[in-house]
């Protein structure tokens, strides 16, 4: 009963109005076409169709090595967590599935995930020290580990070379500050023609204003996760700068950005710049317009030289009550191995969480400066999270919509978010 009561709370909040980090941009995701399992076959669920070909190849390697068949299915983000909810309550979770920082704390606290702690300790393949520790920490609770780090992501700046050339503006580079970006965005904006210098909706935080907040000394969550930083003077100052210099000057309306994702606006020539996570690479580089006109640079820096990126990482988890628990662990162990993580990066699936295996990821799209994403790893801040991330993050996005549309001031919005966030964290 405790399990079902807690799960009902998890899913009571409305589904996310934006597509979050690390593969959350599902794009044209759809079911892979496989359904059902033969006895002994491991069921695997993910949400990013762009990663399917590379991951399927890795799964085939695993099957060839172990003889254990794998059925991998893609479920779009907005359906994925509903599927896991039903599976958790009905005892029919997939054997292996992706876990995200927004939901991991609740799944771990409610004993939905297989405890991997002892298995990791006995493994000759998995050494926790080989992974980015913040990503590993996303999937640890009460001294136990519940997922193997899969990847990590950073944020970079995409820009339209053709629009820059026509305006006579030099391309973004490592010398750019946020003021440089704002100045260029203003020059590139022609609202009469629906052309905008920059696009970032109210709901985009990791791939939006979070990066500026931390660059300017603000924060979303304090170190011991006891208080919100939304009402910190530095956070309010950063968000006021964002609003005054970007939202009101060079961005499309919130309505337009609500109807069109930033990659759509960018790939249709309606925005000259946008912040994009590394999980969006295949979607962007496969686009003919972007291939002809786009490129990528590191994020702008603060005036003191700070250049931070908010990062996140998925984890490979297994169902606590899976009848195939031992086979599921073998797959997790394989997916976390140096060889599999290196293949994941080299095949262009995504950057890998195993430190030192992602250098050749840039070769998956050699016509673009993907090195910018690796360079951003020099100063990373883990995406803020608590047990109630989904609740307070959804609320913060709703408040930011009211700010973007002029219903309330930015300071009022920041303070309202902080109060709500503190209330929800106190309930944890």
């Amino acid at each position: 009963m405790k399990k079902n009561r807690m799960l009902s709370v998890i899913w009571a909040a409305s589904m996310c109005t934006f597509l979050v980090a690390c593969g959350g941009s599902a794009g044209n995701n759809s079911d892979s076409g496989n359904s059902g399992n033969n006895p002994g076959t491991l069921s695997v669920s993910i949400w990013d169709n762009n990663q399917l070909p590379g991951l399927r190849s890795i799964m085939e390697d695993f099957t060839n090595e172990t003889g254990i068949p794998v059925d991998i299915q893609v479920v779009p983000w907005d359906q994925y967590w509903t599927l896991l909810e039903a599976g958790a309550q009905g005892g029919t979770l997939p054997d292996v599935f992706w876990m995200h920082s927004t939901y991991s704390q609740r799944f771990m606290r409610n004993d939905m995930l297989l405890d991997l702690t002892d298995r990791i300790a006995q493994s000759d393949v998995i050494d926790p020290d080989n992974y980015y520790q913040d990503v590993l920490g996303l999937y640890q609770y009460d001294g136990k580990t519940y997922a193997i780090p899969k990847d990590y992501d950073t944020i970079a700046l995409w820009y339209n070379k053709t629009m820059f050339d026509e305006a006579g503006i030099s391309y973004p580079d490592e010398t750019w500050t946020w003021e440089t970006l704002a100045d260029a965005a203003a020059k590139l904006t022609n609202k009469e023609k629906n052309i905008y210098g920059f696009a970032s909706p109210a709901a985009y935080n990791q791939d939006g204003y979070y990066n500026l907040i931390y660059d300017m000394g603000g924060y979303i969550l304090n170190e011991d996760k006891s208080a919100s930083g939304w009402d910190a003077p530095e956070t309010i100052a950063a968000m006021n700068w964002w609003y005054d210099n970007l939202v009101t000057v060079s961005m499309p309306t919130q309505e337009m950005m609500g109807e069109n994702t930033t990659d759509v606006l960018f790939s249709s020539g309606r925005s000259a710049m946008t912040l994009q996570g590394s999980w969006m690479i295949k979607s962007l580089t496969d686009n003919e317009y972007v291939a002809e006109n786009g490129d990528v640079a590191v994020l702008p820096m603060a005036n003191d030289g700070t250049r931070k990126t908010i990062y996140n990482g998925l984890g490979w988890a297994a169902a606590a009550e899976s009848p195939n628990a031992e086979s599921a662990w073998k797959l997790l162990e394989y997916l976390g191995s140096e060889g599999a993580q290196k293949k994941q990066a080299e095949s262009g699936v995504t950057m890998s969480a195993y430190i030192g295996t992602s250098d050749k990821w840039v070769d998956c799209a050699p016509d673009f400066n993907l090195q910018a994403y690796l360079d951003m790893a020099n100063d990373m801040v883990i995406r803020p999270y608590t047990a109630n991330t989904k609740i307070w993050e959804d609320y913060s996005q709703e408040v930011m919509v009211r700010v973007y549309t002029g219903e309330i001031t930015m300071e009022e919005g920041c303070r309202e978010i902080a109060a709500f966030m503190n209330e929800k964290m106190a309930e944890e």
Side-chain angles (χ1 to χ4, degrees):
M1 290 300 293
K2 172 189 175 185
K3 188 179 294 183
N4 287 338
R5 284 199 305 270
M6 289 300 294
L7 281 168
S8 66
V9 174
I10 297 174
W11 310 109
S14 61
M15 289 306 295
C16 218
T17 57
F18 75 117
L19 301 171
V20 294
C22 205
S25 313
N28 295 320
N29 286 5
S30 61
D31 192 286
S32 66
N34 298 322
S35 60
N37 282 327
N38 296 319
T41 298
L42 286 175
S43 58
V44 176
S45 290
I46 66 174
W47 63 70
D48 189 350
N49 204 50
N50 288 326
Q51 296 192 31
L52 180 60
L55 291 179
R56 179 174 282 153
S57 178
I58 293 171
M59 300 293 179
E60 289 173 354
D61 293 343
F62 168 77
T63 298
N64 291 336
E65 182 173 309
T66 65
I68 301 172
V70 176
D71 174 19
I72 182 170
Q73 298 189 31
V74 181
V75 181
W77 170 268
D78 59 354
Q79 300 172 27
Y80 185 86
W81 301 103
T82 303
L83 171 72
L84 291 194
E85 171 204 3
Q89 295 196 41
T92 57
L93 280 170
D95 295 309
V96 172
F97 46 92
W98 282 353
M99 186 48 51
H100 190 279
S101 62
T102 298
Y103 297 91
S104 60
Q105 288 288 315
R106 289 179 176 268
F107 271 80
M108 292 185 293
R109 293 182 182 205
N110 286 280
D111 303 321
M112 293 293 97
L113 307 182
L114 184 67
D115 179 3
L116 307 178
T117 311
D118 291 341
R119 291 177 171 86
I120 291 173
Q122 298 168 12
S123 175
D124 295 328
V125 176
I126 304 298
D127 180 350
D129 291 339
N130 287 328
Y131 306 96
Y132 289 99
Q133 293 303 293
D134 284 335
V135 176
L136 181 67
L138 295 174
Y139 306 108
Q140 293 178 322
Y141 173 70
D142 199 21
K144 298 179 180 179
T145 302
Y146 291 89
I148 301 297
K150 174 190 176 291
D151 53 37
Y152 80 103
D153 54 59
T154 59
I155 311 300
L157 175 66
W158 282 78
Y159 61 95
N160 187 310
K161 294 183 294 183
T162 302
M163 295 173 74
F164 271 73
D165 291 341
E166 292 175 350
I169 301 173
S170 299
Y171 297 158
D173 61 22
E174 69 280 357
T175 68
W176 267 38
T177 64
W178 287 100
E179 284 76 12
T180 315
L181 182 146
D183 182 60
K187 293 176 181 177
L188 290 161
T189 297
N190 187 332
K191 293 184 179 181
E192 292 183 358
K193 295 183 177 180
N194 278 331
I195 301 298
Y196 300 90
F198 187 70
S200 186
Y204 282 35
N205 48 38
Q206 182 189 353
D207 46 355
Y209 42 76
Y210 273 8
N211 301 278
L212 176 74
I213 287 173
Y214 281 86
D215 256 1
M216 294 191 172
Y219 62 99
I220 300 301
L221 183 66
N222 67 354
E223 290 187 7
D224 65 3
K225 302 182 187 299
S226 63
S228 172
W230 266 104
D231 56 354
E234 297 84 356
T235 302
I236 295 173
M239 290 304 291
N240 271 325
W241 186 95
W242 178 268
Y243 185 80
D244 292 340
N245 292 276
L246 293 173
V247 176
T248 61
V249 177
S250 56
M251 286 197 205
T253 64
Q254 175 58 35
E255 181 180 8
M256 180 182 290
M257 291 189 289
E259 295 173 349
N260 301 275
T261 57
T262 54
D263 59 307
V264 170
L265 291 170
F266 183 74
S267 62
S268 61
R270 283 181 286 172
S271 73
M273 291 182 285
T274 181
L275 305 187
Q276 295 290 330
S278 52
W279 61 88
M280 288 295 296
I281 292 305
K282 184 170 179 57
S283 175
L284 289 165
T285 58
D286 283 354
N287 182 280
E288 291 184 8
Y289 179 87
V290 175
E292 182 178 350
N293 298 284
D295 206 354
V296 60
V298 293
L299 292 182
M301 60 182 172
N303 291 331
D304 65 358
T306 302
R307 193 196 314 276
K308 296 184 183 297
T309 181
I310 306 300
Y311 83 116
N312 195 26
L314 301 186
W316 284 109
E321 299 178 2
S322 168
N324 301 312
E326 291 311 312
S327 292
W329 161 245
K330 289 180 181 179
L331 178 57
L332 295 185
E333 187 177 43
Y334 184 84
L335 293 170
S337 68
E338 181 177 9
Q341 293 260 313
K342 184 175 292 186
K343 182 172 182 175
Q344 174 179 252
E346 291 178 353
S347 62
V349 174
T350 185
M351 299 186 297
S352 292
Y354 195 111
I355 297 171
T357 61
S358 296
D359 289 348
K360 292 189 176 181
W361 172 77
V362 299
D363 296 334
C364 72
D367 294 333
F368 297 87
N369 179 32
L370 299 191
Q371 182 63 40
Y373 283 101
L374 294 180
D375 291 344
M376 288 306 305
N378 293 329
D379 195 355
M380 302 188 293
V381 176
I382 197 66
R383 185 170 177 268
Y385 68 96
T386 70
N388 282 326
T389 304
K390 180 71 172 67
I391 297 173
W392 55 256
E393 200 169 68
D394 281 359
Y395 186 82
S396 71
Q397 292 155 16
E398 294 169 4
V399 172
M400 278 297 116
V401 169
R402 291 162 54 206
V403 174
Y404 274 39
T405 55
E407 182 180 335
I408 58 175
T409 67
M410 180 61 76
E411 181 168 354
E412 289 171 337
C414 290
R415 294 192 184 282
E416 184 175 334
I417 294 169
F420 181 87
M421 189 172 168
N422 286 331
E423 176 186 341
K424 294 305 171 184
M425 289 193 298
E427 295 173 1
E428 297 177 8

